[in-house]
Each structure stands twice: as structure tokens, then as C-alpha cells.
Amino acid sequence: MATMADVARSAGVSVATVSHVLNGTRPVLPHTRQAVLDAVDALGYTPNTLARSLVTSRTRSIGLAVSAISNPYFTEILQGVEAAALEAGYSLLLADPHDDPRHERKVVQLLHERRVDGMIVAPSADPTDLVDYLRRHAVPTVFLDRLVDAHATQDVPPGDGAGAAPRANALCFDQVCAESAAPTALLVTHLAGLGHRRIALVAGLPGLSTTGERVAGYREGLAAAGLAYDDRLVVSGNSESAGAERATAALLGLPDPPTALVTANNAMTIGALRALRRHGRSVPDDIALCCFDDFAWADLFSPRLTAIAQPSRELGGRAVRVLLDRLAEPERPARTLRLPCTFVHRTSCGCPEEPGPAGAAGYTASSTLSEKGTAT
């Protein structure tokens, strides 16, 4: 196996220069850099990452804890994380917390024991133990998709000891998510504009920030349309298909059932459609449907699904870049970044097919939300 010294001899440079080229630790003249890279390629040299990590105390690896297997939305986020990490020269260690707070704490500890440089985590509905562990071990972490309450992530001033009041607005962790409230309100006002007065919501798992924000957006949409809120029309699908199927069936059993339905994630959309079919309800003739989360086959349903599309791959890539910024500047102010969503207008809402090429693929309209970055 070729060594760094072999590469240096072949390129006619010092071992230190080879190290600078491979690690990017110092600018090197272009022709010298190319000579080193040519020698690496010719000799088949592979850097010893284990030895390098012993010297630098960095493994150039990132731990990712998301429910990628149980939630297809996170699969797309994973693709964004992997691409950005690879581009930056980092490897990825993946764990699935299954949205279980106890399992979440366990898998994050296992990732930490693998000496990852930092973590990206989509927290569960009760991340108390998770936050305590990450804070106690000072693990650079970005919370992804779901936000953690500010009081849970506030830092304790050094030297104040246990029980000291946390500093106001001193977040330990960066957070990256998509807008949730305003896009949900947009779906509701769109349905109201089509004449619907009983619009129901199949909400996600209680305790998740995404669930709370989408419920808030639903209420904002009702208020904007001049419609009264009826708590019988808000049911929990627990962010899963089976839960949404039961919740939708309960809505259909009401004395005055809804004429329109908003589902708060892609898995629950599938469950709602299953319940509607089982009860002999046609979309959109019997009930209109809009969903949060677009997915690859949404355009293949009949009718085609009107949806809010989240920038899932961009969310994953942005989380990696925010984490790398944190690793480079550990003392920088914490950030919460919200990325905009897109309204994908198709036909399940009851609107006619758009004529021309746009109608063939479903046309998109911006939800008019822009990225927000707040330092807290």
C-alpha cells in the first residue's frame, strides 16, 4: 500500500506539502497541487483517516438520526444530507430513532461514541433526554425539520452551576426546517375559496413542532376565510398512515361530515385516501383533498394531488452546511433557518385541469414565503 512519503517522492515535494494538498490546510500552487493529485492517482494512495483523526481529533464524519425508514419524506432529506456531506469530504453514519424518545437517546449516544464530529437530528415529540445528553457532552448539533422549544435548548452560563437561570435567547443548537403554518393556511384558504365551509384537518403526532405549526396554520386559514373553528374537525393521525385512516373514518362518521380535507403529511395522505375509498367517497366529487408534502407519485393519482411541496433535499444540504459552520466557529450565534415551501396545484382540490403543458405536469405556484434566518 502506497504511503504519503511515496506520493511525496513521486510528485517531487515534501510530505508536508502532500498533507496540505490532501487536507486543504494551506494554499498550494496549482501546478504543485496537480502533481500531488496525479501522484495520488498513479500510486492508488488512500489516506489513513484513522491516523489523521488521532492527530486532529476529528473523524470527518457526521451522525444523522432521522426516521428515514418509517417516513419517506426523510429519505429525500437523507439524499440531500449525503450529497452535501460527500461534497465537503465527510462520511455519514445513519441511525433511525423511530420517533421513540427512548430509542432516540440510545442511538444518538451510539453515534456519539463513534466520535462523529457533529450530529443532525430530527427530534421526537419529547426530546428532553436527547437535549440533555447533547448539551452535557457539548455535541455540535443541528435540529432538522422539527424545532425544539427555546427553553429546552437554552445554555446555562459557565460557573453558575445546576439550577441557575439560563441566559435569555441563548440557543445551544442550530435548527433548520421548512415553513409549516403559512403553507397550511394557504391550503385552507384555497379550499374555502372553492366554496367549502367544513374543512377538516388530519394532524400529525402531538408534541412535534410541525404538528403544532400546521394546526396553527389551519386555524389561521379558517380565520382568514371567515370560518369558525370546530375542534371536531381536527383529528390526530399520529403522523402515520394507519392513524390517518382511523382519523378520516371518524370524520366521515360525523353527523355533519367535512366537505374538504387537509392531511398534514404524506403518510397520512395515503391513510386518508384508503379510508375514503373504503367508505365509497370520491375525490374531489364527494370530498376535496389537499395535502402537506408532495411526493414522487402524487402526480400519478387520479385525481392528481394538490399539495405543499417541502424543499426536502435542500433542507438536508442546508443542515450539513450549518453544522460545518458550527464546527468552524463553535462560538457563533445559534441560527434557526426556515426554508420556503411550494404550492403544487393539481386537481384533488376540485379545480379543473390546467390546459396546456403546465396542466400535464401540474403547475406550481410559490407560497410567497421566503427563507428566514434568525439568530437567537
Side-chain angles (χ1 to χ4, degrees), residues 264-297:
N265 79 0
N266 52 14
M268 292 190 292
T269 299
I270 301 300
L273 286 168
R274 191 177 292 120
L276 293 172
R277 183 180 62 184
R278 182 159 52 87
H279 286 79
R281 305 298 174 88
S282 172
V283 178
D285 296 334
D286 298 323
I287 185 169
L289 175 66
C290 290
C291 51
F292 205 107
D293 280 343
D294 197 23
F295 43 95
W297 55 92

Side-chain angles (χ1 to χ4, degrees), residues 145-281:
D145 183 65
R146 299 132 173 207
L147 303 182
V148 174
D149 289 342
H151 75 271
T153 57
Q154 284 173 341
D155 202 359
V156 175
D160 284 7
R167 286 196 302 261
N169 299 322
L171 284 178
C172 294
F173 309 110
D174 300 298
Q175 309 194 88
V176 177
C177 66
E179 291 282 3
S180 279
T184 306
L186 180 63
L187 293 179
V188 174
T189 56
H190 178 67
L191 290 167
L194 297 175
H196 294 282
R197 293 296 175 263
R198 288 187 62 74
I199 303 169
L201 173 70
V202 179
L205 186 67
L208 296 179
S209 67
T210 47
T211 298
E213 291 182 1
R214 288 168 199 174
V215 171
Y218 166 79
R219 300 189 68 152
E220 291 170 10
L222 291 177
L227 300 178
Y229 173 78
D230 183 347
D231 59 9
R232 294 174 300 174
L233 294 179
V234 178
V235 291
S236 176
N238 288 323
S239 299
E240 60 174 9
S241 178
E245 185 174 357
R246 292 189 295 269
T248 303
L251 288 169
L252 297 177
L254 291 174
D256 189 7
T259 63
L261 184 63
V262 174
T263 52
N265 79 0
N266 52 14
M268 292 190 292
T269 299
I270 301 300
L273 286 168
R274 191 177 292 120
L276 293 172
R277 183 180 62 184
R278 182 159 52 87
H279 286 79
R281 305 298 174 88

Side-chain angles (χ1 to χ4, degrees), residues 21-72:
V21 170
L22 297 179
N23 297 315
T25 49
R26 194 188 71 184
V28 176
L29 292 172
H31 70 276
T32 302
R33 181 176 183 276
Q34 191 58 52
V36 170
L37 295 178
D38 289 344
V40 167
D41 186 55
L43 296 173
Y45 171 72
T46 302
N48 188 331
T49 54
L50 178 60
R52 182 169 60 188
S53 68
L54 292 173
V55 174
T56 63
S57 298
R58 290 284 184 91
T59 60
R60 296 193 70 82
S61 62
I62 294 172
L64 176 64
V66 297
S67 299
I69 298 172
S70 55
N71 191 334

Side-chain angles (χ1 to χ4, degrees), residues 269-329:
T269 299
I270 301 300
L273 286 168
R274 191 177 292 120
L276 293 172
R277 183 180 62 184
R278 182 159 52 87
H279 286 79
R281 305 298 174 88
S282 172
V283 178
D285 296 334
D286 298 323
I287 185 169
L289 175 66
C290 290
C291 51
F292 205 107
D293 280 343
D294 197 23
F295 43 95
W297 55 92
D299 194 45
L300 301 178
F301 282 88
S302 180
R304 297 156 59 243
L305 299 179
T306 294
I308 292 295
Q310 298 193 76
S312 49
R313 287 180 176 82
E314 185 181 354
L315 284 169
R318 188 64 61 91
V320 170
R321 291 189 288 273
V322 168
L323 179 59
L324 296 181
D325 288 344
R326 170 65 53 201
L327 294 173
E329 300 180 60

